[in-house]
Amino acid sequence: LMQATQLVEALSLKGTDQRLAAFLLHQCSMSCAGPSEEVFELCITRRELAKLLGTTPEHLSRVVRRMEKDGLVQGMGRTIRILDRKGLQRRAET
């Protein structure tokens, strides 16, 4: 019930940038070897990720490009590298 409530809150109250930043931080906390090596593989396709975040694949691509331009992440296909964890955390919270 708590997870369902958090999901509804995230989808209705947060923008795509915030939802993606939170998702990436969560995935890194589950998959990354440590703070010095913040690289992980997405276990789902970008289309599935867009559906999970409640957006379209096209909009998700624009958000990822914006995050790359801002120096927060680097995306190489399914491989994601977090470049600025604190910046990504700020993005997730705003």
Side-chain angles (χ1 to χ4, degrees):
L1 184 58
M2 184 184 294
Q3 286 178 336
T5 302
Q6 289 171 342
L7 179 61
V8 169
E9 179 181 298
L11 289 174
S12 60
L13 300 177
K14 295 184 177 183
T16 305
D17 285 36
Q18 295 167 307
R19 293 191 304 263
L20 177 58
F23 175 84
L24 294 175
L25 289 167
H26 175 75
Q27 288 300 302
C28 187
S29 70
M30 303 290 285
S31 306
C32 293
S36 62
E37 187 62 32
E38 296 193 311
V39 177
F40 63 95
E41 296 284 326
L42 283 177
C43 57
I44 57 177
T45 66
R46 293 241 176 152
R47 182 172 296 280
E48 293 168 330
L49 177 56
K51 187 182 282 190
L52 179 69
L53 297 177
T55 191
T56 63
E58 296 80 12
H59 184 67
L60 178 63
S61 292
R62 287 191 295 271
V63 171
V64 169
R65 280 195 305 273
R66 190 167 44 241
M67 286 184 173
E68 289 175 331
K69 182 181 172 194
D70 293 343
L72 300 175
V73 298
Q74 180 182 27
M76 303 161 282
R78 283 192 159 184
T79 303
I80 304 291
R81 178 183 302 271
I82 294 179
L83 302 174
D84 181 1
R85 175 176 275 280
K86 289 182 182 182
L88 201 57
Q89 287 171 331
R90 282 192 301 274
R91 182 77 52 99
E93 294 168 359
T94 44

Short mmCIF file of all heavy atoms in Angstrom, two decimals, residues 11-79:
data_model
loop_
_atom_site.label_atom_id
_atom_site.label_comp_id
_atom_site.label_asym_id
_atom_site.label_seq_id
_atom_site.Cartn_x
_atom_site.Cartn_y
_atom_site.Cartn_z
N LEU A 11 3.70 10.13 -9.69
CA LEU A 11 3.14 10.34 -11.02
C LEU A 11 2.26 11.58 -11.10
O LEU A 11 2.16 12.20 -12.15
CB LEU A 11 2.34 9.11 -11.45
CG LEU A 11 3.17 7.88 -11.79
CD1 LEU A 11 2.28 6.69 -12.08
CD2 LEU A 11 4.10 8.14 -12.96
N SER A 12 1.64 11.95 -10.00
CA SER A 12 0.72 13.07 -10.06
C SER A 12 1.33 14.40 -9.62
O SER A 12 0.90 15.45 -10.06
CB SER A 12 -0.53 12.78 -9.21
OG SER A 12 -0.17 12.57 -7.87
N LEU A 13 2.34 14.36 -8.78
CA LEU A 13 2.87 15.60 -8.21
C LEU A 13 4.26 15.98 -8.73
O LEU A 13 4.69 17.10 -8.50
CB LEU A 13 2.91 15.49 -6.68
CG LEU A 13 1.57 15.26 -5.99
CD1 LEU A 13 1.76 15.10 -4.49
CD2 LEU A 13 0.60 16.38 -6.30
N LYS A 14 4.94 15.08 -9.39
CA LYS A 14 6.30 15.37 -9.83
C LYS A 14 6.39 15.37 -11.34
O LYS A 14 5.67 14.63 -12.01
CB LYS A 14 7.27 14.34 -9.25
CG LYS A 14 7.37 14.40 -7.74
CD LYS A 14 8.40 13.45 -7.21
CE LYS A 14 8.51 13.60 -5.70
NZ LYS A 14 9.55 12.75 -5.16
N GLY A 15 7.30 16.18 -11.87
CA GLY A 15 7.52 16.22 -13.31
C GLY A 15 8.39 15.06 -13.76
O GLY A 15 8.98 14.34 -12.96
N THR A 16 8.49 14.91 -15.07
CA THR A 16 9.28 13.82 -15.64
C THR A 16 10.74 13.91 -15.22
O THR A 16 11.36 12.89 -14.91
CB THR A 16 9.16 13.81 -17.17
OG1 THR A 16 7.78 13.76 -17.52
CG2 THR A 16 9.86 12.61 -17.77
N ASP A 17 11.31 15.11 -15.18
CA ASP A 17 12.70 15.28 -14.75
C ASP A 17 12.89 14.72 -13.34
O ASP A 17 13.85 13.99 -13.08
CB ASP A 17 13.09 16.76 -14.73
CG ASP A 17 13.32 17.33 -16.11
OD1 ASP A 17 12.60 16.94 -17.05
OD2 ASP A 17 14.23 18.16 -16.25
N GLN A 18 11.97 15.07 -12.45
CA GLN A 18 12.07 14.62 -11.06
C GLN A 18 11.91 13.11 -10.96
O GLN A 18 12.66 12.44 -10.23
CB GLN A 18 11.00 15.29 -10.21
CG GLN A 18 11.18 16.78 -10.08
CD GLN A 18 9.94 17.42 -9.51
OE1 GLN A 18 8.84 17.23 -10.01
NE2 GLN A 18 10.12 18.17 -8.44
N ARG A 19 10.95 12.57 -11.69
CA ARG A 19 10.71 11.12 -11.63
C ARG A 19 11.91 10.35 -12.18
O ARG A 19 12.33 9.34 -11.60
CB ARG A 19 9.44 10.75 -12.39
CG ARG A 19 8.19 11.30 -11.74
CD ARG A 19 6.91 10.73 -12.32
NE ARG A 19 6.77 10.91 -13.75
CZ ARG A 19 6.07 11.87 -14.33
NH1 ARG A 19 5.47 12.79 -13.59
NH2 ARG A 19 5.95 11.93 -15.64
N LEU A 20 12.48 10.83 -13.30
CA LEU A 20 13.63 10.14 -13.88
C LEU A 20 14.84 10.24 -12.95
O LEU A 20 15.54 9.24 -12.74
CB LEU A 20 13.98 10.72 -15.25
CG LEU A 20 15.20 10.12 -15.92
CD1 LEU A 20 15.04 8.61 -16.10
CD2 LEU A 20 15.49 10.80 -17.23
N ALA A 21 15.09 11.41 -12.39
CA ALA A 21 16.22 11.57 -11.47
C ALA A 21 16.09 10.62 -10.28
O ALA A 21 17.05 9.95 -9.90
CB ALA A 21 16.32 13.02 -11.00
N ALA A 22 14.90 10.55 -9.69
CA ALA A 22 14.68 9.66 -8.55
C ALA A 22 14.87 8.20 -8.96
O ALA A 22 15.47 7.41 -8.23
CB ALA A 22 13.28 9.88 -7.98
N PHE A 23 14.37 7.84 -10.15
CA PHE A 23 14.52 6.47 -10.63
C PHE A 23 15.99 6.12 -10.80
O PHE A 23 16.44 5.06 -10.38
CB PHE A 23 13.77 6.29 -11.96
CG PHE A 23 13.98 4.94 -12.57
CD1 PHE A 23 13.21 3.86 -12.17
CD2 PHE A 23 14.96 4.74 -13.53
CE1 PHE A 23 13.42 2.60 -12.72
CE2 PHE A 23 15.18 3.50 -14.09
CZ PHE A 23 14.40 2.42 -13.69
N LEU A 24 16.76 7.01 -11.44
CA LEU A 24 18.17 6.74 -11.67
C LEU A 24 18.95 6.62 -10.37
O LEU A 24 19.81 5.74 -10.23
CB LEU A 24 18.78 7.83 -12.56
CG LEU A 24 18.24 7.90 -13.98
CD1 LEU A 24 18.83 9.09 -14.72
CD2 LEU A 24 18.48 6.60 -14.74
N LEU A 25 18.66 7.48 -9.42
CA LEU A 25 19.32 7.38 -8.11
C LEU A 25 18.99 6.07 -7.42
O LEU A 25 19.86 5.42 -6.82
CB LEU A 25 18.93 8.57 -7.23
CG LEU A 25 19.51 9.92 -7.65
CD1 LEU A 25 18.81 11.05 -6.91
CD2 LEU A 25 21.02 9.95 -7.40
N HIS A 26 17.73 5.67 -7.50
CA HIS A 26 17.31 4.40 -6.88
C HIS A 26 18.01 3.22 -7.56
O HIS A 26 18.53 2.33 -6.88
CB HIS A 26 15.79 4.25 -6.98
CG HIS A 26 15.30 2.93 -6.47
ND1 HIS A 26 15.24 2.64 -5.12
CD2 HIS A 26 14.88 1.83 -7.12
CE1 HIS A 26 14.80 1.41 -4.97
NE2 HIS A 26 14.56 0.89 -6.17
N GLN A 27 18.04 3.22 -8.90
CA GLN A 27 18.69 2.13 -9.62
C GLN A 27 20.17 2.05 -9.30
O GLN A 27 20.72 0.97 -9.14
CB GLN A 27 18.50 2.29 -11.14
CG GLN A 27 17.10 2.00 -11.59
CD GLN A 27 16.68 0.58 -11.27
OE1 GLN A 27 17.31 -0.38 -11.69
NE2 GLN A 27 15.62 0.44 -10.51
N CYS A 28 20.80 3.21 -9.18
CA CYS A 28 22.23 3.22 -8.86
C CYS A 28 22.47 2.69 -7.46
O CYS A 28 23.41 1.94 -7.23
CB CYS A 28 22.81 4.63 -9.01
SG CYS A 28 24.61 4.66 -8.84
N SER A 29 21.60 3.05 -6.52
CA SER A 29 21.78 2.57 -5.15
C SER A 29 21.63 1.05 -5.09
O SER A 29 22.23 0.40 -4.24
CB SER A 29 20.79 3.24 -4.20
OG SER A 29 19.48 2.79 -4.45
N MET A 30 20.87 0.48 -6.03
CA MET A 30 20.67 -0.97 -6.05
C MET A 30 21.77 -1.69 -6.85
O MET A 30 22.06 -2.84 -6.57
CB MET A 30 19.31 -1.30 -6.69
CG MET A 30 18.12 -0.65 -6.02
SD MET A 30 17.79 -1.31 -4.40
CE MET A 30 17.06 -2.85 -4.85
N SER A 31 22.37 -1.01 -7.84
CA SER A 31 23.24 -1.69 -8.80
C SER A 31 24.69 -1.25 -8.77
O SER A 31 25.56 -2.01 -9.20
CB SER A 31 22.71 -1.46 -10.22
OG SER A 31 21.37 -1.85 -10.31
N CYS A 32 24.99 -0.03 -8.38
CA CYS A 32 26.35 0.50 -8.49
C CYS A 32 27.26 -0.12 -7.45
O CYS A 32 26.85 -0.40 -6.33
CB CYS A 32 26.36 2.02 -8.34
SG CYS A 32 25.55 2.85 -9.72
N ALA A 33 28.52 -0.28 -7.85
CA ALA A 33 29.52 -0.90 -6.96
C ALA A 33 29.86 -0.01 -5.78
O ALA A 33 30.17 -0.49 -4.71
CB ALA A 33 30.78 -1.23 -7.76
N GLY A 34 29.81 1.29 -5.97
CA GLY A 34 30.14 2.21 -4.89
C GLY A 34 30.13 3.63 -5.41
O GLY A 34 29.94 3.88 -6.59
N PRO A 35 30.33 4.60 -4.50
CA PRO A 35 30.26 6.00 -4.90
C PRO A 35 31.32 6.42 -5.92
O PRO A 35 31.13 7.37 -6.65
CB PRO A 35 30.44 6.76 -3.58
CG PRO A 35 30.89 5.78 -2.58
CD PRO A 35 30.60 4.42 -3.10
N SER A 36 32.42 5.68 -5.98
CA SER A 36 33.46 6.06 -6.94
C SER A 36 33.13 5.54 -8.35
O SER A 36 33.68 6.03 -9.32
CB SER A 36 34.81 5.52 -6.49
OG SER A 36 34.77 4.11 -6.45
N GLU A 37 32.26 4.57 -8.47
CA GLU A 37 31.92 3.99 -9.77
C GLU A 37 30.40 3.92 -9.90
O GLU A 37 29.78 2.91 -9.59
CB GLU A 37 32.53 2.59 -9.90
CG GLU A 37 32.38 1.97 -11.27
CD GLU A 37 33.06 2.75 -12.37
OE1 GLU A 37 34.10 3.37 -12.12
OE2 GLU A 37 32.55 2.74 -13.50
N GLU A 38 29.82 5.03 -10.33
CA GLU A 38 28.37 5.11 -10.41
C GLU A 38 27.88 4.85 -11.83
O GLU A 38 27.39 5.72 -12.52
CB GLU A 38 27.89 6.46 -9.89
CG GLU A 38 28.22 6.63 -8.42
CD GLU A 38 27.51 7.80 -7.79
OE1 GLU A 38 27.52 8.90 -8.36
OE2 GLU A 38 26.92 7.59 -6.72
N VAL A 39 28.06 3.61 -12.26
CA VAL A 39 27.65 3.16 -13.58
C VAL A 39 26.79 1.92 -13.40
O VAL A 39 27.11 1.05 -12.59
CB VAL A 39 28.88 2.80 -14.45
CG1 VAL A 39 28.46 2.27 -15.81
CG2 VAL A 39 29.79 3.99 -14.60
N PHE A 40 25.69 1.86 -14.15
CA PHE A 40 24.83 0.69 -14.07
C PHE A 40 24.11 0.47 -15.39
O PHE A 40 24.05 1.36 -16.23
CB PHE A 40 23.82 0.81 -12.92
CG PHE A 40 22.86 1.96 -13.08
CD1 PHE A 40 21.62 1.77 -13.65
CD2 PHE A 40 23.21 3.23 -12.65
CE1 PHE A 40 20.74 2.83 -13.80
CE2 PHE A 40 22.34 4.29 -12.79
CZ PHE A 40 21.10 4.09 -13.37
N GLU A 41 23.59 -0.72 -15.57
CA GLU A 41 22.84 -1.09 -16.76
C GLU A 41 21.35 -1.03 -16.45
O GLU A 41 20.91 -1.54 -15.43
CB GLU A 41 23.19 -2.52 -17.18
CG GLU A 41 24.61 -2.74 -17.61
CD GLU A 41 24.90 -2.21 -18.99
OE1 GLU A 41 23.99 -2.26 -19.85
OE2 GLU A 41 26.01 -1.72 -19.20
N LEU A 42 20.60 -0.38 -17.34
CA LEU A 42 19.14 -0.40 -17.20
C LEU A 42 18.67 -1.82 -17.49
O LEU A 42 19.10 -2.44 -18.46
CB LEU A 42 18.49 0.55 -18.19
CG LEU A 42 18.53 2.02 -17.87
CD1 LEU A 42 17.91 2.82 -19.02
CD2 LEU A 42 17.79 2.32 -16.59
N CYS A 43 17.80 -2.33 -16.64
CA CYS A 43 17.30 -3.69 -16.83
C CYS A 43 16.02 -3.71 -17.68
O CYS A 43 15.46 -4.77 -17.91
CB CYS A 43 17.07 -4.35 -15.48
SG CYS A 43 15.94 -3.44 -14.42
N ILE A 44 15.57 -2.52 -18.12
CA ILE A 44 14.39 -2.42 -18.96
C ILE A 44 14.71 -1.52 -20.16
O ILE A 44 15.70 -0.79 -20.14
CB ILE A 44 13.18 -1.85 -18.19
CG1 ILE A 44 13.50 -0.48 -17.60
CG2 ILE A 44 12.73 -2.81 -17.10
CD1 ILE A 44 12.34 0.18 -16.87
N THR A 45 13.88 -1.59 -21.18
CA THR A 45 14.10 -0.75 -22.35
C THR A 45 13.68 0.69 -22.03
O THR A 45 12.95 0.93 -21.06
CB THR A 45 13.27 -1.23 -23.55
OG1 THR A 45 11.88 -1.07 -23.26
CG2 THR A 45 13.58 -2.69 -23.88
N ARG A 46 14.11 1.62 -22.86
CA ARG A 46 13.71 3.02 -22.66
C ARG A 46 12.20 3.17 -22.83
O ARG A 46 11.59 3.99 -22.17
CB ARG A 46 14.46 3.94 -23.63
CG ARG A 46 15.94 3.99 -23.34
CD ARG A 46 16.38 5.37 -22.99
NE ARG A 46 17.79 5.36 -22.63
CZ ARG A 46 18.58 6.37 -22.78
NH1 ARG A 46 18.14 7.48 -23.31
NH2 ARG A 46 19.83 6.31 -22.38
N ARG A 47 11.61 2.40 -23.73
CA ARG A 47 10.15 2.43 -23.91
C ARG A 47 9.44 1.99 -22.62
O ARG A 47 8.48 2.61 -22.19
CB ARG A 47 9.74 1.55 -25.08
CG ARG A 47 8.25 1.56 -25.38
CD ARG A 47 7.92 0.83 -26.66
NE ARG A 47 8.48 1.45 -27.84
CZ ARG A 47 7.97 2.52 -28.46
NH1 ARG A 47 6.88 3.06 -27.98
NH2 ARG A 47 8.54 3.01 -29.52
N GLU A 48 9.95 0.93 -22.01
CA GLU A 48 9.37 0.45 -20.75
C GLU A 48 9.59 1.47 -19.64
O GLU A 48 8.70 1.68 -18.80
CB GLU A 48 9.98 -0.90 -20.36
CG GLU A 48 9.61 -2.02 -21.29
CD GLU A 48 10.42 -3.28 -21.09
OE1 GLU A 48 11.60 -3.19 -20.67
OE2 GLU A 48 9.89 -4.37 -21.35
N LEU A 49 10.75 2.10 -19.64
CA LEU A 49 11.04 3.12 -18.63
C LEU A 49 10.09 4.30 -18.78
O LEU A 49 9.56 4.81 -17.79
CB LEU A 49 12.50 3.59 -18.74
CG LEU A 49 12.93 4.70 -17.79
CD1 LEU A 49 12.69 4.31 -16.34
CD2 LEU A 49 14.40 5.04 -18.02
N ALA A 50 9.84 4.71 -20.01
CA ALA A 50 8.90 5.81 -20.25
C ALA A 50 7.53 5.45 -19.72
O ALA A 50 6.87 6.27 -19.05
CB ALA A 50 8.84 6.12 -21.75
N LYS A 51 7.09 4.24 -19.98
CA LYS A 51 5.78 3.80 -19.49
C LYS A 51 5.75 3.80 -17.97
O LYS A 51 4.79 4.25 -17.36
CB LYS A 51 5.47 2.41 -20.03
CG LYS A 51 4.06 1.94 -19.71
CD LYS A 51 3.80 0.54 -20.22
CE LYS A 51 3.54 0.58 -21.71
NZ LYS A 51 3.06 -0.72 -22.20
N LEU A 52 6.82 3.32 -17.36
CA LEU A 52 6.92 3.28 -15.89
C LEU A 52 6.85 4.67 -15.29
O LEU A 52 6.24 4.88 -14.24
CB LEU A 52 8.23 2.59 -15.48
CG LEU A 52 8.52 2.48 -14.00
CD1 LEU A 52 7.56 1.49 -13.35
CD2 LEU A 52 9.95 2.02 -13.78
N LEU A 53 7.48 5.65 -15.98
CA LEU A 53 7.51 7.01 -15.47
C LEU A 53 6.30 7.84 -15.89
O LEU A 53 6.19 9.01 -15.53
CB LEU A 53 8.79 7.72 -15.94
CG LEU A 53 10.10 7.12 -15.44
CD1 LEU A 53 11.28 7.85 -16.03
CD2 LEU A 53 10.16 7.13 -13.92
N GLY A 54 5.41 7.23 -16.67
CA GLY A 54 4.19 7.93 -17.06
C GLY A 54 4.41 8.99 -18.12
O GLY A 54 3.79 10.05 -18.07
N THR A 55 5.29 8.70 -19.09
CA THR A 55 5.57 9.66 -20.16
C THR A 55 5.74 8.91 -21.47
O THR A 55 5.58 7.69 -21.53
CB THR A 55 6.82 10.50 -19.82
OG1 THR A 55 6.92 11.58 -20.75
CG2 THR A 55 8.09 9.68 -19.80
N THR A 56 6.07 9.62 -22.52
CA THR A 56 6.31 8.99 -23.82
C THR A 56 7.81 8.78 -24.02
O THR A 56 8.62 9.50 -23.42
CB THR A 56 5.79 9.88 -24.96
OG1 THR A 56 6.53 11.11 -24.96
CG2 THR A 56 4.30 10.17 -24.80
N PRO A 57 8.18 7.83 -24.87
CA PRO A 57 9.61 7.62 -25.14
C PRO A 57 10.28 8.87 -25.70
O PRO A 57 11.44 9.16 -25.36
CB PRO A 57 9.62 6.48 -26.16
CG PRO A 57 8.34 5.76 -25.93
CD PRO A 57 7.35 6.81 -25.51
N GLU A 58 9.57 9.63 -26.52
CA GLU A 58 10.14 10.85 -27.10
C GLU A 58 10.44 11.88 -26.02
O GLU A 58 11.51 12.50 -26.02
CB GLU A 58 9.18 11.44 -28.14
CG GLU A 58 8.95 10.54 -29.34
CD GLU A 58 7.93 9.42 -29.10
OE1 GLU A 58 7.21 9.43 -28.07
OE2 GLU A 58 7.87 8.51 -29.95
N HIS A 59 9.49 12.07 -25.11
CA HIS A 59 9.70 13.05 -24.03
C HIS A 59 10.83 12.58 -23.10
O HIS A 59 11.66 13.38 -22.67
CB HIS A 59 8.41 13.28 -23.24
CG HIS A 59 8.54 14.32 -22.18
ND1 HIS A 59 8.75 15.64 -22.46
CD2 HIS A 59 8.53 14.22 -20.83
CE1 HIS A 59 8.84 16.33 -21.34
NE2 HIS A 59 8.72 15.48 -20.33
N LEU A 60 10.87 11.29 -22.83
CA LEU A 60 11.93 10.74 -22.00
C LEU A 60 13.30 11.00 -22.64
O LEU A 60 14.24 11.39 -21.95
CB LEU A 60 11.73 9.24 -21.78
CG LEU A 60 12.81 8.54 -20.96
CD1 LEU A 60 12.87 9.08 -19.54
CD2 LEU A 60 12.59 7.04 -20.95
N SER A 61 13.40 10.83 -23.94
CA SER A 61 14.66 11.10 -24.64
C SER A 61 15.08 12.56 -24.49
O SER A 61 16.26 12.85 -24.29
CB SER A 61 14.54 10.75 -26.12
OG SER A 61 14.42 9.36 -26.28
N ARG A 62 14.11 13.48 -24.58
CA ARG A 62 14.43 14.90 -24.41
C ARG A 62 14.93 15.18 -22.99
O ARG A 62 15.88 15.94 -22.79
CB ARG A 62 13.21 15.76 -24.73
CG ARG A 62 12.91 15.83 -26.21
CD ARG A 62 11.87 16.89 -26.52
NE ARG A 62 10.57 16.62 -25.94
CZ ARG A 62 9.61 15.91 -26.53
NH1 ARG A 62 9.81 15.39 -27.73
NH2 ARG A 62 8.45 15.73 -25.93
N VAL A 63 14.30 14.55 -22.01
CA VAL A 63 14.70 14.75 -20.61
C VAL A 63 16.11 14.19 -20.39
O VAL A 63 16.94 14.83 -19.74
CB VAL A 63 13.68 14.10 -19.65
CG1 VAL A 63 14.18 14.10 -18.22
CG2 VAL A 63 12.34 14.83 -19.74
N VAL A 64 16.40 13.02 -20.95
CA VAL A 64 17.74 12.43 -20.81
C VAL A 64 18.78 13.34 -21.45
O VAL A 64 19.84 13.61 -20.86
CB VAL A 64 17.78 11.01 -21.42
CG1 VAL A 64 19.22 10.51 -21.52
CG2 VAL A 64 16.94 10.05 -20.60
N ARG A 65 18.49 13.84 -22.65
CA ARG A 65 19.43 14.75 -23.32
C ARG A 65 19.68 16.01 -22.50
O ARG A 65 20.80 16.50 -22.40
CB ARG A 65 18.92 15.12 -24.72
CG ARG A 65 19.19 14.04 -25.75
CD ARG A 65 19.02 14.54 -27.16
NE ARG A 65 17.74 15.15 -27.44
CZ ARG A 65 16.64 14.51 -27.83
NH1 ARG A 65 16.67 13.20 -27.98
NH2 ARG A 65 15.52 15.16 -28.08
N ARG A 66 18.61 16.53 -21.89
CA ARG A 66 18.75 17.73 -21.04
C ARG A 66 19.64 17.42 -19.83
O ARG A 66 20.50 18.21 -19.46
CB ARG A 66 17.38 18.23 -20.61
CG ARG A 66 17.39 19.58 -19.95
CD ARG A 66 16.02 20.21 -19.81
NE ARG A 66 14.97 19.34 -19.35
CZ ARG A 66 13.86 19.05 -20.05
NH1 ARG A 66 13.68 19.54 -21.26
NH2 ARG A 66 12.94 18.25 -19.56
N MET A 67 19.45 16.25 -19.23
CA MET A 67 20.28 15.86 -18.08
C MET A 67 21.73 15.67 -18.50
O MET A 67 22.65 16.00 -17.75
CB MET A 67 19.74 14.59 -17.42
CG MET A 67 18.49 14.81 -16.62
SD MET A 67 18.00 13.28 -15.80
CE MET A 67 16.65 13.89 -14.79
N GLU A 68 21.94 15.13 -19.71
CA GLU A 68 23.30 14.98 -20.22
C GLU A 68 23.93 16.35 -20.46
O GLU A 68 25.08 16.58 -20.09
CB GLU A 68 23.30 14.17 -21.52
CG GLU A 68 22.99 12.70 -21.30
CD GLU A 68 22.86 11.93 -22.60
OE1 GLU A 68 22.49 12.51 -23.64
OE2 GLU A 68 23.14 10.71 -22.56
N LYS A 69 23.18 17.26 -21.06
CA LYS A 69 23.67 18.61 -21.32
C LYS A 69 24.01 19.34 -20.02
O LYS A 69 24.98 20.09 -19.95
CB LYS A 69 22.61 19.40 -22.09
CG LYS A 69 23.02 20.79 -22.46
CD LYS A 69 21.90 21.51 -23.19
CE LYS A 69 22.26 22.97 -23.38
NZ LYS A 69 21.12 23.76 -23.77
N ASP A 70 23.22 19.09 -18.97
CA ASP A 70 23.45 19.72 -17.66
C ASP A 70 24.58 19.05 -16.89
O ASP A 70 24.92 19.47 -15.78
CB ASP A 70 22.17 19.69 -16.83
CG ASP A 70 21.08 20.58 -17.40
OD1 ASP A 70 21.39 21.46 -18.24
OD2 ASP A 70 19.90 20.40 -17.00
N GLY A 71 25.15 17.97 -17.44
CA GLY A 71 26.28 17.30 -16.79
C GLY A 71 25.90 16.40 -15.63
O GLY A 71 26.73 16.09 -14.78
N LEU A 72 24.65 15.96 -15.59
CA LEU A 72 24.19 15.11 -14.49
C LEU A 72 24.46 13.63 -14.76
O LEU A 72 24.85 12.89 -13.86
CB LEU A 72 22.70 15.33 -14.24
CG LEU A 72 22.28 16.74 -13.85
CD1 LEU A 72 20.77 16.84 -13.75
CD2 LEU A 72 22.94 17.16 -12.56
N VAL A 73 24.19 13.20 -15.99
CA VAL A 73 24.34 11.79 -16.35
C VAL A 73 24.97 11.69 -17.73
O VAL A 73 25.00 12.65 -18.50
CB VAL A 73 23.00 11.03 -16.36
CG1 VAL A 73 22.35 11.03 -14.99
CG2 VAL A 73 22.05 11.60 -17.41
N GLN A 74 25.42 10.50 -18.03
CA GLN A 74 25.89 10.17 -19.36
C GLN A 74 25.22 8.86 -19.74
O GLN A 74 25.34 7.87 -19.00
CB GLN A 74 27.41 10.02 -19.37
CG GLN A 74 27.99 9.67 -20.72
CD GLN A 74 29.50 9.49 -20.64
OE1 GLN A 74 30.03 9.14 -19.60
NE2 GLN A 74 30.16 9.73 -21.74
N GLY A 75 24.48 8.87 -20.82
CA GLY A 75 23.77 7.67 -21.25
C GLY A 75 24.41 7.08 -22.49
O GLY A 75 24.66 7.79 -23.45
N MET A 76 24.69 5.80 -22.44
CA MET A 76 25.27 5.11 -23.59
C MET A 76 24.43 3.86 -23.83
O MET A 76 24.76 2.79 -23.37
CB MET A 76 26.72 4.73 -23.30
CG MET A 76 27.61 5.92 -22.94
SD MET A 76 29.12 5.42 -22.09
CE MET A 76 28.49 5.12 -20.44
N GLY A 77 23.30 4.04 -24.49
CA GLY A 77 22.40 2.91 -24.68
C GLY A 77 21.75 2.57 -23.34
O GLY A 77 21.15 3.41 -22.70
N ARG A 78 21.93 1.35 -22.92
CA ARG A 78 21.37 0.93 -21.63
C ARG A 78 22.29 1.23 -20.45
O ARG A 78 21.89 1.12 -19.31
CB ARG A 78 21.05 -0.56 -21.65
CG ARG A 78 19.80 -0.87 -22.41
CD ARG A 78 19.41 -2.28 -22.15
NE ARG A 78 18.00 -2.42 -22.46
CZ ARG A 78 17.33 -3.52 -22.26
NH1 ARG A 78 17.92 -4.57 -21.74
NH2 ARG A 78 16.06 -3.58 -22.57
N THR A 79 23.54 1.59 -20.75
CA THR A 79 24.50 1.90 -19.69
C THR A 79 24.33 3.36 -19.28
O THR A 79 24.33 4.25 -20.11
CB THR A 79 25.94 1.66 -20.15
OG1 THR A 79 26.06 0.30 -20.58
CG2 THR A 79 26.92 1.93 -19.04
#
